[in-house]
Amino acid sequence: MDKTYKFDYKTSEFVLHHGNPIVLTGKEALKMWIEKALRSNKRMQLYKGTGYGTDIEALTMGKGFNFDFTQSEIKREAEECLLKNDDIYAVTSCEVSVVRGRLNIEIELRTAYGSEEVNL
């Protein structure tokens, strides 16, 4: 993974150090790419036709789908999205749950940097 800028999804802002954005490389850049890719809606005009992002929002927002179906589709979307990155070799585990109305995704990956765990 080349490089990317550190972004804080809780504050919706880039993280700065002395007024400059923090640049991530290697393993940390890959982790940031993973989070951004999973949070990005591939239906947004910006990503249309690129294959980037997921359609998780369409599966969860105001839909009355059976949870088993939704869970299975979220796992499929996540795996399909992540495996487009050449530094990700395999999705070894993907668990989807809802805790207090919040969607949680826990993913284990085999990457160019070793095994990684991502929790969103």
Side-chain angles (χ1 to χ4, degrees):
M1 185 83 205
D2 289 334
K3 64 180 181 176
T4 192
Y5 296 104
K6 187 172 184 177
F7 190 80
D8 185 335
Y9 284 94
K10 290 181 179 136
T11 63
S12 297
E13 294 181 354
F14 286 98
V15 180
L16 305 178
H17 179 71
H18 298 298
N20 296 313
I22 295 175
V23 176
L24 302 174
T25 59
K27 179 179 177 177
E28 294 305 313
L30 180 60
K31 285 180 167 182
M32 181 80 345
W33 182 92
I34 290 167
E35 186 166 2
K36 183 176 183 269
L38 290 174
R39 290 177 180 269
S40 296
N41 184 332
K42 68 182 177 184
R43 292 183 184 206
M44 290 178 60
Q45 189 64 36
L46 175 66
Y47 302 123
K48 279 191 178 177
T50 67
Y52 181 81
T54 68
D55 214 8
I56 291 172
E57 188 175 300
L59 293 165
T60 59
M61 299 301 288
K63 304 292 186 205
F65 295 134
N66 171 297
F67 183 72
D68 290 338
F69 170 78
T70 302
Q71 185 179 39
S72 173
E73 284 298 295
I74 290 171
K75 288 179 182 182
R76 183 191 57 75
E77 283 281 333
E79 185 169 348
E80 185 178 289
C81 169
L82 296 174
L83 291 176
K84 290 181 179 170
N85 187 306
D86 291 338
D87 286 341
I88 299 174
Y89 303 144
V91 176
T92 56
S93 173
C94 183
E95 297 300 320
V96 177
S97 62
V98 176
V99 178
R100 287 181 234 125
R102 184 181 186 277
L103 180 68
N104 294 309
I105 304 173
E106 297 176 24
I107 300 172
E108 292 179 14
L109 307 162
R110 210 171 60 243
T111 75
Y113 307 101
S115 295
E116 294 298 325
E117 189 173 305
V118 178
N119 299 301
L120 299 174

